[in-house]
Amino acid sequence: MWDTKGVALLGIALCIEVAYSAASQSYTWKNVVTGGGGGFVPGIVFNPSEKGLAYARTDIGGAYRLNSDDTWTPLADFVSNSNWNHWGVDALATDAVDTDRLYLAVGMYTNDWDPNNGAIMRSTDKGETWTESTLPFKVGGNMPGRGMGERLAADPNDNRILFFGARSGHGLWKSTDYGATWSNVTSFTWTGTYVQDSSYSYTADIVGIAWVTFDPTSGSSGSPTPRIFVGVANTGQSVFVSEDAGATWKWVSGEPQYGFLPHKGVLSPSEKTLYISYSDGAGPYDGTNGTVHKYNISTGVWTDISPTSITDTYYGYGGLSVDLQVPGTVMVAALNCWWPDELIWRSVDSGVTWSPIWAWNGYPSINYYYDYIVTNAPWLQDSTSTGEFPVRVGWMVEALSIDPFDSNHWLYGTGATIYGGHDLKNWDSAHNVTLESLAYGIEEMAVLGLIAPPGGPPLLSAVADVGGFYHSDLDTPPAQSHHTPTYSSTNGIDYAGNKPSNIVRSGSSDSDPTVALSTDFGRTWSANYAASSSTGTGSIALSADGDTVLLMSSTDGTLRSQYQSTFSAVSSLPSGAVIASDKANNSVFYGASSGTVYVSTDTGLSFARTAALGSSSAVNAIRAHPSVAGDVWASTDTGLWHSTDYGTTFTKIGSTTCTAGWSFSFGKASSSSSSSSSVIYGFFTVDGVTALFKTEDQGLNWQMISDASHGFGAASAHVVAADMANYGRVFVGTNGRGIFYGEPSGSLPTSSATSTSTSSTTATGSTMTTATTSSSTTSTARTTATTTSSSTTTTTATATTSSSSATSTSTATASPFGQCGGTTYTGPTGCPSGWTCTFFNDFYSQCTQQE
Ligand SMILES: *[C@@H]1O[C@H](CO)[C@@H](O)[C@H](O)[C@H]1NC(C)=O
Ligand SMILES: *[C@@H]1O[C@H](CO)[C@@H](O)[C@H](O)[C@H]1NC(C)=O
Ligand SMILES: *[C@@H]1O[C@H](CO)[C@@H](O)[C@H](O)[C@H]1NC(C)=O
Ligand SMILES: *[C@@H]1O[C@H](CO)[C@@H](O)[C@H](O)[C@H]1NC(C)=O
Ligand SMILES: *[C@@H]1O[C@H](CO)[C@@H](O)[C@H](O)[C@H]1NC(C)=O
C-alpha cells in the first residue's frame, strides 16, 4: 500500500526550497489562435450523466473541457518547468455520479526522457483546480499505445472507487478514496507483455494495461460495481473480467486469438454487450491488421463484426463508440487508413452491417458521404495541394465519441485536430453528414521557431507536424500554413536584419528542397534549390542583407549557401551548435557549443573560437540584438552572457542572480524607461526559480511574468520571441500548448537593488503532501510550484515531440500496404515490385499501388 504520506517523506528528502527574491509583473496571456488543434488528440470522453460535459486529452499539451458553443477551455495551463511532464495525459476519467469530479493520469515518458514519476490529478470542479497524488512509477502520455483507453475509470455505482491500468508492467491500481491514495491490485496478474519495438528505449517499454470498463448494469447505485472488464496490450489473451468488484479476475474465454491488441472496450449497457476494436499495433502510427468484435455478456458469445474482412484489411481499428440513446448504433474507425484517407463506419444493427464515410465508386472515383467545413481552421486543407486524394477524414483516430445526450453530436480526434458534427443522424437517413473542424480553443502545436520581423506581420511561426504560419492577426485562425514548398514540420525560421522582409525557413519534405526563401515577410515562398529534399534541417540563420543562409543540418553538420549556390560544409563550427546571424552586419554569424562561442566574419565561410563563457558547459541559445551590430547574447547552463564587440569578449549578466537561461528575445524599450536598452524576455533561472522573466535594465532587475495559471511547461523546450514594435508584448512557443502572447496588465514594480543572497530552507511535509494548483492566481499555488522547481531544474530533460530520431537502414521488402518508413520505424523500407513507398507524414510511409 502506498499513500501520500510516502510522498511527503520523499518530498522532504528531495526538495530544497530556495528563497525567491525577484519581483513579478502581472501579464495577460492568450493563445495566438490557430483554431484547429495542431496535434494528436488521443482521447475524447463524454460524461454519461451530465448533458454537454466532455473532455479531450492530448499527449503533450494537457487536457481541455468542451463548452456549449463547441469551443474548448484548457485545464492544465498551470503546468510549469517543475512539473512539465504533467502535460502528457495518458488517461482521463469523468465521474458519472458526481459529475464535477475529473481525473487525469499524467506523465510524459516511461523511459529516461522523463526522469519524473507520474501522478493522478483530481479535480472536484471540472478541472478548474487540481490536487494531485504522485504515483510510484512513470506514466507515459506520449508513449506508444497512448490512444488505447481509457486506462483510468471511476466506478459509476460507487464513485469513491477508481481503477488505473499502468504501463511498464506495474499492473492494475485501485483507489477507494476518490483517487487520493492508490494500491496495487495484485490479484490482477496480466500486467502486459507487448512492446512495440525492443530496439529503442522509447518503443521498448511494456505498453501494459489499455483500458478499464465498468458494467454499471451488473450492480446498483451506492455499491461497488461487480463486473469490470480490463483490456491489456497482449498478443495472446487480452480481455479479462471480474465479477466481484475486482477481487478476482479471469480471462474472458472465447476471445479470438489473432495476436491483436484490444484498443477500446466500449459497453453498450442496454444490449449487455462489450464492443472491442483490435489492431496488430499499439498505435498511434502503426497497425495493418485487426478486427472489431462484440462480446455478448448474456450468452458469452464472441462475434466478429469487422467492417472489413480480415483477409482484405490493411488497417487495424481504433476509435469506437456506441449511441447510448439508440441501442445497436455503433461507430468504429480504422486507427490508420493512410491511403487514400481515413475510414469511419456506422452500424445501426449492432455491427451486422456497416456503412462507410467514403467508398470507392470505381477507382479513382470516390463517393464522399460528407460535406467538409473547416472555417474554424481553414489551414487544415492546403489550398495548393496537388495530391490525388485529399486527406480530410484524418489519421490516428483513437478518440471517437457519440454524445450520450445528443445522437446528432459526435467528435473524433485525429493526428492534427478534432472533427465531428451536429447532424450525425443524417448518416442513417441520407448517408451524408457535415464534417466540421471542432477544435477551436485547443492549441496543441509543438512550436520550433517564432519571429516578429520589424515592419512585418505580428508573428511568423515554425511548427512541428503542421508546418507553421504567417499570423496576420493573432486572434484569427490563419487561412493557410506555410506552403509551396510545403513542409510537414518547419524546423527553423529567421529574417534578415537589414531587410526584414527577407525570410528563410527550413523544414522536412520528401520531395521539395528543405530550405525556402521569401522576400515579402513570408506571405509567399520559393524553394531554395541550394538544398534538396535529402538535406536534413534544423535551425537556420539568414545574414543581415539576406544573401547568405547558415543551416545547422541534422544530417551533415553546419552548412552554408550564398546567393542560393549549393550548400557546402562549414567544418569550423561544430555540428549541433546554436547559431545566429548578426542583424546589422552582413559578414557576421555567431555559433556556440559546449560553452564556447564561435564567430564568422566572412559570411559564414569559416568560424573562429572567440570566447569561453565562464564555466558554462552548454549554450542553449545565441541571439544578436535586432539593430545593434556586434551586440550578441548567449544563454547557458550558468546564466546570460553579453558581448558588445562581435562576440570577442562576454560578460555575465546579473552576476549570481541569473544562473541558467534558455530561449530569449529582445523587445521594444519602454518609453518611460530611463534605460534605452531593449527589454529581454526569456526562460531563465533567477534566484533559483526557473520561469519566464523579463529585464528592462540588462539584468539588474528581473520580473517574473509567467504565473500560477500560465507556467508554459518545460523551460528547455520553448521558443521566445519579442516584439520591437509593441512595448511589453512577448510570444512564447510551447512544446504542445501552441503559442501564447502576453501583454502587461500590471505595472512594472519599482526597481530594487537585486538581491544576490540566496537562502535555503527545507520544504515542510505539508507543502509536499499534495501539490494544489489553482487556475486562478494565488500566491500559494506559486509557492508550491516553485518548491519542486529547484530540485528538477538541472535534471529536466528536453521534452521532445514524438518526432525523435531513429531512421531505418534496412533494405528488406515490406508487404503490400505495409509500412515502409517513418520516424522510429525500423522495419523494411523497400516495397514489392509494382508498389511504391508513399510518404504520408513524418511517422508513416506505406507501400501503395497507384496505377
Ligand atoms: C503490481 O502487481 C502486479 C501483479 O501482482 C505485479 O506484477 C507488479 O509488479 C506490481 N507493481 C508494483 C509497482 O508493485
Ligand atoms: C491478418 O491477420 C490474419 C489472422 O492472423 C491473417 O490470416 C492475415 O493474413 C493477416 N493479414 C495480413 C495482410 O497480414
Ligand atoms: C446477445 O445474445 C442474445 C441471445 O442470443 C440476443 O438476443 C441479443 O441480440 C444479443 N445481443 C447483441 C448485441 O448481439
Ligand atoms: C454529400 O453532401 C456533400 C455536400 O452537399 C456533397 O458534396 C457530396 O457529394 C455528397 N455525397 C454524396 C455521395 O452524394
Ligand atoms: C562588419 O564586420 C566585419 C568583420 O568583423 C568588419 O570588417 C566590418 O567593418 C563590419 N562592418 C561594419 C559596417 O561595421
Side-chain angles (χ1 to χ4, degrees), residues 268 270-275 294-301 303 305 327-328 330 349-352:
S268 173
S270 50
E271 294 185 286
K272 278 206 175 299
T273 291
L274 184 71
Y275 290 88
K294 65 178 174 183
Y295 171 67
N296 191 321
I297 296 169
S298 314
T299 61
V301 172
T303 309
I305 55 165
V330 192
D349 54 12
S350 310
V352 178

Side-chain angles (χ1 to χ4, degrees), residues 660-721:
W662 293 270
S663 185
F664 64 97
S665 185
F666 307 91
K668 187 183 183 186
S670 157
S671 53
S672 61
S673 163
S674 52
S675 160
S676 62
S677 53
S678 302
V679 184
I680 296 174
Y681 302 85
F683 284 85
F684 296 102
T685 303
V686 175
D687 291 336
V689 178
T690 299
L692 180 63
F693 285 91
K694 72 188 233 300
T695 175
E696 302 209 355
D697 51 17
Q698 304 212 341
L700 195 57
N701 289 282
W702 297 84
Q703 297 90 43
M704 188 203 282
I705 59 172
S706 50
D707 58 45
S709 311
H710 305 93
F712 306 117
S716 60
H718 294 121
V719 289
V720 174

Side-chain angles (χ1 to χ4, degrees), residues 391-483:
V391 174
R392 297 184 295 212
V393 184
W395 60 94
M396 288 158 63
V397 179
E398 290 271 40
L400 170 63
S401 291
I402 303 170
D403 187 333
F405 287 89
D406 179 358
S407 298
N408 265 322
H409 182 208
W410 65 305
L411 295 169
Y412 70 91
T414 76
T417 191
I418 291 175
Y419 289 114
H422 288 280
D423 62 358
L424 185 55
K425 287 198 280 194
N426 287 351
W427 191 313
D428 309 328
S429 52
H431 197 186
N432 204 318
V433 294
T434 310
L435 210 57
E436 296 176 76
S437 153
L438 293 175
Y440 202 96
I442 292 183
E443 293 289 345
E444 197 193 343
M445 299 190 184
V447 183
L448 301 176
L450 293 175
I451 53 172
L459 186 70
L460 292 170
S461 59
V463 177
D465 301 333
V466 295
F469 305 94
Y470 177 100
H471 301 270
S472 53
D473 181 329
L474 300 176
D475 304 314
T476 306
Q480 291 282 285
S481 49
H482 300 308
H483 58 187

Side-chain angles (χ1 to χ4, degrees), residues 258 260 289 310 313:
Y258 292 116
F260 302 152
N289 206 346
I310 199 166
T313 189

Side-chain angles (χ1 to χ4, degrees), residues 501-733:
S501 58
N502 287 41
I503 317 273
V504 67
R505 71 182 158 97
S506 60
S508 352
S509 171
D510 66 329
S511 52
D512 289 319
T514 52
V515 174
L517 296 165
S518 171
T519 55
D520 59 4
F521 285 111
R523 202 174 272 120
T524 61
W525 296 90
S526 54
N528 180 344
Y529 287 91
S532 76
S533 64
S534 63
T535 310
T537 66
S539 57
I540 198 157
L542 188 57
S543 67
D545 296 343
D547 57 42
T548 306
V549 174
L550 188 70
L551 173 67
M552 188 48 66
S553 143
S554 58
T555 47
D556 308 297
T558 314
L559 298 175
R560 171 202 185 258
S561 163
Q562 191 168 39
Y563 302 120
Q564 302 197 46
S565 62
T566 308
F567 275 98
S568 54
V570 182
S571 58
S572 45
L573 182 63
S575 184
V578 292
I579 56 172
S581 55
D582 193 277
K583 287 284 170 261
N585 187 322
N586 193 59
S587 309
V588 179
F589 283 95
Y590 305 100
S593 178
S594 307
T596 301
V597 174
Y598 299 76
V599 177
S600 170
T601 55
D602 57 6
T603 60
L605 276 172
S606 65
F607 282 77
R609 286 169 182 253
T610 53
L613 301 171
S615 61
S616 303
S617 59
V619 182
N620 296 321
I622 192 160
R623 301 269 189 272
H625 187 278
S627 56
V628 183
D631 190 278
V632 58
W633 302 66
S635 61
T636 78
D637 55 348
T638 67
L640 180 62
W641 297 77
H642 182 205
S643 169
T644 54
D645 56 7
Y646 285 104
T648 308
T649 58
F650 279 82
T651 52
K652 190 163 182 297
I653 290 295
S655 91
T656 58
T657 314
C658 174
T659 52
W662 293 270
S663 185
F664 64 97
S665 185
F666 307 91
K668 187 183 183 186
S670 157
S671 53
S672 61
S673 163
S674 52
S675 160
S676 62
S677 53
S678 302
V679 184
I680 296 174
Y681 302 85
F683 284 85
F684 296 102
T685 303
V686 175
D687 291 336
V689 178
T690 299
L692 180 63
F693 285 91
K694 72 188 233 300
T695 175
E696 302 209 355
D697 51 17
Q698 304 212 341
L700 195 57
N701 289 282
W702 297 84
Q703 297 90 43
M704 188 203 282
I705 59 172
S706 50
D707 58 45
S709 311
H710 305 93
F712 306 117
S716 60
H718 294 121
V719 289
V720 174
D723 191 322
M724 293 305 286
N726 298 281
Y727 164 71
R729 182 186 285 180
V730 60
F731 299 95
V732 178

Side-chain angles (χ1 to χ4, degrees), residues 78-97:
F78 62 87
V79 170
S80 68
N81 187 62
S82 63
N83 56 359
W84 64 269
N85 75 337
H86 287 32
W87 268 353
V89 186
D90 208 10
L92 182 152
T94 173
D95 187 328
V97 179

Side-chain angles (χ1 to χ4, degrees), residues 55 93-95 98-103 123-124 126 159 178:
Y55 302 94
T94 173
D95 187 328
D98 176 355
T99 59
D100 284 347
R101 291 186 185 269
L102 172 66
Y103 302 88
S123 172
T124 53
K126 299 188 167 99
N159 66 332
Y178 303 100

